[in-house]
């Protein structure tokens, strides 16, 4: 395999084979190329069987790209058997083979956020009588945090000794018992149960240690305690663990990522080889100098500095605006000027902000100037209500013990089985210690139910049993289409929609579930309903907004997105806005972790390829009132000679080349208008 297109450090990383390797890959240093070349080196040069190679990352998109690039490099046949997946998909694979050794059935369900929240509420209603309002999402976060730290219910110690911490300690064991009773797991269980399986079953651990002889992990700085322990177990017998990451881009501490995993790697894995990738292929010298100067103020980091073989590039503009509206106007005017000067596409421009609430002014200004834009984020496809309703039918058809989804579909579409009737059914289920589905099948014997309700339940049971058989025998997408037709779901959606346009969008979303199922059938040799639901469940665990992110970024439109969402992306022209104290760094993070806020700013700066503009406002509205703002302390940490400071009312001068380009573009536009 040719290595001539790699630099010296990249070649050293590719050729390293045995023992632990810590690859510190700075922003824009070509880490994906290094990982794929390293896999190719193992497969082609060293003739390592593909079945012994495993690469793990955090998103399905990253896993797909890594696998595709490797296949393009060495051929699909040579990659057959290699595992390239997310942590959750890897653990799903392991549990599907051996979860029965922990007392679960192999056809377990995976509960998404909506199912988890509903289960938490049910448990809380049993613990607390009256009208006390419980924030189920907060309790779920505390339980998730415990699982990511590998704390089982009996060892759970909440971070905060407050009302919700104490409530979570009560709910967690009941929640876990309920999941087990429903033969279900949540996403945090996928990793926690896999770790438990490997710890408690030496034969299973040995099997996977022998199967995966060479492990590679991308974005290692984002791993939590559970993921760290999983990797330790899998690599313990051979220590062939290569981790790739950048401590300076660790920005997910709020969701459990442990920076210590990468900082302490050499201590935790004796004999580690350390290689730094510091040559940057993305940004200009000025941009890298600003990023290096900023991040040097962090204490918890590995020593490294990005550099480029290219020139310094244009100076970094730092603009002080009057207020938030003026900030948006300045950004839009700069975009228009740059497009005239360099004939750029709209998609070459990105506006990055600390909080999503900052997008409003930019959206309004872009709309006013008729400039196309995309806002990255928003509700994900599989989280939309109408989609969740369809999936609830499919999940219950696949797993009759899934009572959460049974209750969701029992009266949807409305069939006359209201909350009072559902309460009678649940009480009978509890009193007789029988699954709710069995109670439904014998509902004609429950005298508290009216004749119409009993008839509706009989029809519902017949429908479920008929389609359970159909899904085992027929084509998935055709069967699902018939199910939706029998339910008259489209008519129900239009009937309950606020207006026809919303009804159309929701009906289209339901149709898209069928499209997704048909695409799954085309890809899989032996498609099944459980397999389709597994794919959907794993898709539901990527970074926020990922379902629309990829398609939106392909459009020729200005990109608006949060700094967290921008990680891993790059743009020719970047506007980093709201560089003010209380915004960046954010007021809620200053006390807890100012260094993570600085890393977040560093990530924003290193997204820029050619130009970087930093903006802050002298005043900004809060609850409708203008308040004086203080520039971010991060601006003072960037050397003054790198910044071209501009007030918003100061015209930005153009150099001679820009003047000539703008004039050429202007006259070309006039000629085109005359021709039209």
């Amino acid at each position: 395999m040719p290595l001539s297109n790699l630099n010296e450090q990249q070649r050293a990383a590719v050729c390293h084979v045995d023992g632990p390797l810590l690859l510190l890959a700075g922003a824009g240093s070509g880490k994906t190329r290094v990982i794929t070349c390293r896999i190719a080196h193992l497969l082609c040069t060293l003739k390592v069987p593909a079945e012994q190679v495993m690469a793990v990352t955090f998103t399905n998109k990253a896993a797909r790209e890594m696998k595709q690039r490797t296949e393009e490099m060495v051929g699909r046949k040579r990659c057959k058997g290699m595992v390239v997946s997310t942590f959750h998909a890897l653990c799903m694979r392991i549990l599907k083979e051996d979860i029965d050794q922990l007392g679960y059935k192999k056809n377990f369900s995976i509960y998404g956020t909506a199912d988890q929240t509903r289960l938490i509420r049910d448990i809380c209603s049993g613990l607390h009588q009256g009208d006390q309002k419980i924030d189920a999402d907060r309790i779920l976060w505390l339980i998730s945090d415990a699982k990511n730290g590998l704390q089982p219910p009996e060892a759970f110690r909440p971070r905060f000794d407050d009302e919700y911490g104490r409530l979570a300690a009560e709910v967690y064991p009941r929640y876990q018992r309920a999941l087990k009773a429903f033969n279900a797991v949540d996403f945090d269980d996928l990793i926690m149960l896999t770790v438990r399986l490997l710890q408690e079953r030496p034969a299973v651990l040995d099997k996977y240690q022998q199967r995966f002889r060479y492990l590679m992990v991308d974005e290692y700085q984002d791993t939590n305690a559970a993921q760290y322990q999983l990797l330790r177990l899998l690599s313990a017998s051979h220590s062939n663990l290569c981790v790739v990451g950048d401590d300076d881009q660790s920005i997910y501490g709020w969701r459990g990522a442990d920076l210590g995993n990468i900082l302490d790697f050499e201590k935790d894995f004796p004999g580690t080889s350390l290689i730094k990738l510091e040559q940057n292929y993305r940004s200009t010298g000025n941009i890298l100098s600003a990023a290096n100067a900023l991040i040097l103020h962090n204490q918890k980091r590995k020593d490294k500095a990005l550099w480029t073989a290219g020139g310094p590039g244009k100076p970094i503009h730092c603009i002080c605006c009057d207020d938030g509206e003026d900030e948006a106007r300045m950004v839009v005017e700069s975009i228009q000027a740059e497009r005239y000067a360099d004939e750029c596409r709209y998609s070459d421009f990105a506006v990055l902000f600390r909080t999503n609430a900052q997008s409003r002014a930019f959206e309004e200004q872009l709309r006013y100037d008729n400039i196309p834009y995309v806002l990255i984020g928003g509700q994900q496809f599989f989280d939309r209500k109408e989609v969740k309703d369809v999936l609830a039918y499919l999940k219950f058809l696949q797993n009759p013990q899934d009572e959460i989804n049974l209750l969701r579909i029992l009266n949807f579409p409305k069939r006359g089985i209201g909350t009072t009737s559902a309460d009678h059914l649940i009480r009978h289920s509890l009193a007789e210690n029988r699954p709710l589905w069995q109670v439904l099948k014998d509902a004609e014997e429950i005298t508290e139910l009216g004749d119409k309700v009993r008839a509706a339940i009989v029809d519902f049971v017949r429908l479920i049993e008929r389609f359970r058989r159909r899904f085992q025998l027929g084509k998935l997408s055709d069967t699902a289409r018939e199910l939706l037709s029998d339910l008259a779901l489209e008519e129900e959606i239009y009937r309950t929609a606020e207006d026809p346009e919303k009804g159309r969008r929701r009906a289209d979303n339901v149709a898209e579930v069928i499209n997704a199922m048909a695409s799954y059938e085309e890809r899989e040799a032996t498609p099944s309903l459980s397999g389709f639901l597994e794919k959907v469940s794993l898709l539901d665990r990527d970074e926020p907004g990922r379902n629309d992110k990829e398609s939106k970024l392909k459009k020729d439109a200005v990109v608006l997105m949060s700094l967290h969402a921008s990680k891993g992306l790059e743009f020719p022209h970047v506007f980093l806005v709201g560089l003010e104290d209380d915004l960046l760094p954010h007021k809620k993070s200053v006390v807890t972790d100012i260094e993570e806020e600085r890393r977040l700013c560093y990530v924003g700066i290193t997204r820029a390829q050619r130009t970087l503009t930093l903006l802050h406002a002298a005043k900004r509205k809060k609850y409708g009132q203008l308040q004086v703002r203080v520039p971010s302390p991060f601006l003072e940490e960037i050397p003054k000679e790198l910044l071209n400071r501009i007030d918003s009312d100061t015209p930005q001068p153009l150099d001679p080349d820009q003047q000539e380009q703008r004039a050429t573009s202007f006259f070309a536009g006039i000629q085109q208008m005359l021709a039209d």
Side-chain angles (χ1 to χ4, degrees), residues 12-20 38 41-42 46 48 214 239-241:
V14 168
C15 295
H16 178 279
V17 178
D18 296 314
R38 191 171 191 272
H41 180 68
L42 289 170
L46 303 180
V48 173
Y214 295 92
S239 297
N240 295 330
L241 175 62

Side-chain angles (χ1 to χ4, degrees), residues 426-495:
I426 293 170
R427 290 178 183 276
H428 273 268
S429 174
L430 294 171
E432 299 169 11
N433 195 25
R434 286 200 299 159
L436 184 57
W437 176 239
Q438 291 299 321
V439 173
L440 281 170
K441 292 171 75 171
D442 299 327
E444 290 177 298
E445 301 173 8
I446 302 177
T447 57
E448 294 97 323
L449 301 176
D451 292 339
K452 289 185 178 179
V453 173
R454 286 199 294 268
I457 292 174
V458 168
D459 289 342
F460 174 74
V461 169
R462 287 174 179 167
L463 179 138
I464 293 297
E465 290 183 332
R466 175 159 55 91
F467 276 97
R468 185 165 286 148
R469 291 192 296 270
R470 291 293 309 277
F471 271 110
Q472 293 171 352
L473 301 173
K475 188 177 180 182
L476 296 180
S477 55
D478 289 345
T479 305
R481 191 179 299 109
E482 292 174 24
L483 170 65
L484 299 185
S485 176
D486 278 22
L487 293 172
L489 193 55
E490 185 169 324
E491 292 85 342
E492 173 75 359
I493 287 172
Y494 277 107
R495 186 182 67 80

Side-chain angles (χ1 to χ4, degrees), residues 115-147:
D115 297 329
Q116 293 174 274
T117 303
R118 185 174 300 182
L119 180 55
I120 294 289
R121 289 197 182 110
D122 289 345
I123 294 170
C124 289
S125 66
L127 289 172
H128 297 266
Q129 302 302 319
D131 298 327
Q132 182 180 4
K133 188 174 178 61
I134 298 296
D135 187 345
D137 291 333
R138 186 171 174 182
I139 297 172
L140 185 58
W141 183 88
L142 290 168
I143 294 174
S144 175
D145 186 56
K147 291 185 177 185

Side-chain angles (χ1 to χ4, degrees), residues 647-664:
D647 290 329
S648 63
D649 56 356
T650 303
Q652 298 186 38
L654 298 176
D655 60 39
D657 289 341
Q658 288 178 315
Q659 292 177 10
E660 183 178 350
Q661 288 174 338
R662 177 175 288 192
T664 302

Side-chain angles (χ1 to χ4, degrees), residues 22 54 70 105 165 172 175 217 258 274 306 320 322 342 361 432 461 524 627-628 639:
L22 172 57
M54 180 183 75
T70 305
K105 296 178 183 178
Y172 186 9
Y175 170 75
V217 185
D258 187 350
L274 172 64
L306 297 176
C320 177
D322 290 339
D342 290 348
E432 299 169 11
V461 169
E524 298 293 323
Q627 296 185 354
V628 175

Side-chain angles (χ1 to χ4, degrees), residues 162-182:
D162 58 10
E163 177 191 357
Y164 273 94
R166 293 187 291 272
L167 182 56
E170 282 190 85
V171 171
Y172 186 9
R174 291 170 171 81
Y175 170 75
Q176 208 62 16
R177 285 197 296 270
L179 286 177
K180 183 79 177 291
F182 298 153

Side-chain angles (χ1 to χ4, degrees), residues 538-551:
L538 291 172
L539 281 174
D540 201 27
R541 288 299 289 182
D542 268 346
E543 69 274 16
R546 84 221 170 277
N547 283 317
D548 59 353
K549 190 173 182 178
E550 196 170 346
S551 60

